[in-house]
């Protein structure tokens, strides 16, 4: 989703701005642009193509300067077009880029039009540029502080003015913005990764902060206009541009990285102890009587899986809520509940807002399972477990999901232990199974050739059903999400017992039905549901395991996972579903790593 880079320096900053945009590309965008202060004027270049195209335009026009801002846009208000691309100008005096959504933009637009401003775009962002120009007093820092008071919604902005050549001002509320501190130069970005290689001295701005960046000055005021010092941290940001190596796509690489990612996530876990989640975890786990999980998309499905684990192992009640629903719902708060957010990026706007909503309702005990140690989610939560999947570039989440599951299983065990519900023998057995996961996943990855053969058939379909029961129902949901988001095949998942309550009407011989069928307590029930499908001519594609006792027959295709893996089986069973989605998308020729309309990090609601 949208990305910001800004700089004020004593050298040509265009390479820094362009490199920053390239590092943010993986988040998803549909246009990009850069604006610079050049010989007392504002100049810009914008493109509805890739950052590489913008770079060519910049080289062709020899655009260069010491002060400037840049942006990748993921369209919300107004189509992806050159005139809607940022930076936006006002009266050739103010240049501005923005992430987020301004909710009162219509009202502000009318007011500014009445004051004589002519709008060139359909964006909510252009109102901020004109508002800053309208309020301009000759001091950009002061003006931006006044302007943001008029904004309702979420924003991170970077702005500079033709009349103040060595100054960039930033502000944030609801969208992330960081400062990169240099020697005689300073930077702004929406993510520390954008500045990797430029500076590792990072300040995370807080909600309501406004920052004044000059060559030798980085001055921050808080939401009340009071000068504040924010900690400068040394951040070794990963570069998004990881090498593909022998793989065709980042998604494929990330699927195959899972043994390493799980191994790293569990590194150092030799026993179960609440302190894995933070120093205060023991006391908090003792006090809480339930868990509320908040997340979106794939992370939400990780949460659904965790509900089965936590309730059966720790005997603690769990509610799992889609963050975008929870944040606006009248719910009954339980102050003794542990609020758990799950997020790969740690920047998902709905999950962050849901977390704040939970806190505002009096739920103070918060924990996050997150893949980015420096993210807002980690900073906002009392406790955390950092998954060590490494940078996930593909929009379709894979290794982030399985590492989240590993961390959530640890959480179930740690809660059980704190509540006195985990014996030493059980602990030892679980640890052994967790440590064996990398090897077990590698064996599942070796099934790729069989899955490719299935994918060729799936590529010709327009619909698919996914079935699972119990612990594997969330895995069916995740399999359907993977298939739809990258292959654009319409896919739905159901708990198999629900089939006869409606979806069975969809089953014909044209409907492939993927069944997640490990040998668990519900396998015989699942087999009956499979019969219901076969009786209607539906074609079954079954992911069984070594113990499932399902034989291939007419209309029943079976791939057998090498090991039965008990409670941790969801972590293995999702892997072939990821591969099925990947190879189906490949056969259909879609843009696997950047599927249409989607962004990696969803920083607007
Ligand atoms: O960064 P997060 O885990 O908070 O992201 C949540 C969802 O946007 C994300 O899982 C999304 O559903 C993925 N594209 C699924 O593959």
């Amino acid at each position: 989703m949208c990305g910001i880079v800004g700089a004020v320096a004593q050298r040509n900053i265009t390479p820094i701005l362009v490199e920053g945009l390239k590092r943010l590309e993986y988040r998803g965008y549909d246009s990009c642009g850069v604006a610079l202060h050049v010989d007392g004027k504002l100049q810009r270049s914008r493109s509805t193509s890739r950052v590489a195209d913008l770079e060519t335009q910049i080289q062709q026009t020899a655009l260069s300067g010491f002060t400037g801002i840049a942006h990748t846009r993921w369209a919300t208000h107004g189509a992806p077009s050159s005139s809607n691309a940022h930076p936006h100008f006002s009266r050739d005096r103010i240049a501005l880029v923005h992430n987020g959504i301004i909710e009162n933009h219509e009202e502000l637009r009318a007011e500014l039009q009445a004051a004589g401003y002519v709008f060139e775009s359909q964006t909510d962002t252009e109102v901020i540029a004109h508002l800053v120009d309208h309020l301009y007093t000759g001091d950009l820092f002061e003006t931006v502080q006044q302007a943001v008071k008029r904004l309702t919604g979420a924003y991170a902005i970077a702005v500079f003015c033709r009349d103040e050549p060595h100054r960039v001002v930033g502000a944030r509320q609801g969208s992330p913005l960081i400062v990169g501190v240099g020697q005689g130069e300073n930077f702004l970005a929406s993510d520390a990764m954008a500045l990797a290689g430029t500076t590792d001295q990072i300040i995370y701005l807080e909600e309501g902060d406004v920052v004044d960046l000059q060559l030798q000055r980085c001055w921050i005021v808080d939401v009340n206009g009071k000068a504040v010092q924010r900690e400068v941290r040394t951040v070794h940001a990963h570069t998004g541009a990881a090498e593909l190596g022998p793989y065709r796509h980042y998604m494929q690489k990330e699927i195959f990285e899972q043994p390493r990612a799980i191994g790293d996530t569990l590194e150092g876990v030799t026993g179960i102890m609440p302190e894995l989640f933070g120093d205060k975890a023991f006391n908090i786990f003792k006090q809480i009587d339930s868990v509320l999980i908040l997340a979106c998309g794939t992370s939400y499905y990780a949460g659904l899986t965790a509900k089965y684990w936590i309730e059966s192992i720790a005997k603690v009640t769990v509610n799992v809520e889609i963050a975008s629903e929870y944040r606006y719902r009248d719910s009954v708060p339980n102050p003794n509940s542990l609020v758990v957010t799950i997020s790969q990026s740690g920047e998902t706007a709905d999950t962050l807002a849901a977390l704040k909503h939970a806190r505002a309702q009096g739920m103070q005990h918060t924990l996050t399972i997150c893949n980015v140690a420096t993210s807002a989610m980690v900073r906002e939560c009392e406790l955390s477990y950092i998954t060590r999947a490494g940078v996930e570039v593909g929009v379709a989440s894979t290794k982030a999901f399985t590492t989240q599951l590993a961390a959530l299983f640890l959480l179930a065990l740690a809660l059980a232990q704190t509540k006195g519900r985990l014996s030493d023998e059980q602990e030892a057995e679980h640890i052994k199974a967790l440590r064996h996961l990398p090897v077990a996943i590698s064996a599942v990855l070796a099934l790729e050739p069989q899955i490719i053969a299935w994918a060729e058939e799936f590529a010709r379909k327009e619909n698919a059903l996914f079935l699972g029961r119990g612990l594997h129902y969330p895995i069916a949901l995740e399999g359907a999400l993977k298939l739809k988001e990258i292959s654009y095949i319409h896919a739905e998942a159901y708990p198999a017992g629900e089939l006869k309550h409606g979806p069975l009407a969809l089953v014909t011989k044209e409907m492939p039905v993927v069944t997640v069928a490990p040998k668990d307590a519900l396998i015989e029930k699942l087999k009956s549901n499979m019969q219901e499908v076969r009786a209607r001519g539906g074609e079954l594609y079954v992911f069984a395991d070594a113990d499932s006792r399902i034989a291939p027959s007419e209309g029943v295709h079976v791939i057998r996972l090498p090991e039965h893996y008990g409670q941790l089986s969801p972590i293995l069973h999702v892997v072939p579903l990821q591969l099925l989605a990947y190879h189906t998308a490949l056969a259909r020729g879609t843009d696997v790593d950047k599927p249409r309309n989607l962004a990696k990090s969803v920083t607007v609601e």
Side-chain angles (χ1 to χ4, degrees), residues 406 431 532:
I431 290 287
E532 293 161 11

Side-chain angles (χ1 to χ4, degrees), residues 295-301 342-349 351 369-370 377 392 394-398 400 404 478 481-482 485-486 595 598-602:
C296 303
T298 286
S299 298
Y300 170 72
Y301 297 147
I342 308 171
S343 177
Q344 186 285 127
S345 60
E347 302 290 352
T348 301
T351 311
I369 308 284
C370 187
M377 207 78 74
E392 194 178 61
V395 164
S397 194
T398 53
Q404 284 168 351
E478 173 60 3
L481 177 63
K482 287 292 87 94
E485 84 178 314
I486 59 167
L598 299 181
K600 181 66 187 162
S601 192
V602 185

Side-chain angles (χ1 to χ4, degrees), residues 506-524:
L506 295 171
V507 174
T508 64
K509 62 180 176 21
E510 284 310 308
M511 178 68 86
V513 180
V514 179
T515 312
V516 188
K519 163 86 172 73
D520 60 14
L522 292 170
I523 186 69
E524 294 309 323

Side-chain angles (χ1 to χ4, degrees), residues 26 244 248-252 393-396 591-595:
Y26 79 98
L244 268 177
R248 284 181 72 180
H249 295 95
Y250 284 105
M251 182 182 177
Q252 187 190 25
V393 177
V395 164
D591 189 349
V592 174
D593 283 333
K594 297 192 184 87

Side-chain angles (χ1 to χ4, degrees), residues 174 327 347-354 602-605:
R327 63 184 286 193
E347 302 290 352
T348 301
D350 281 321
T351 311
L352 280 169
V602 185
T603 51
V604 295
E605 77 165 299

Side-chain angles (χ1 to χ4, degrees), residues 211-229:
V211 60
D212 182 13
L213 290 187
Q214 301 184 31
L215 294 171
Q216 306 287 352
R217 171 180 153 111
C218 167
W219 187 257
I220 302 168
V221 294
D222 69 9
V223 69
N224 300 312
K226 196 166 142 276
V228 280
Q229 295 283 338

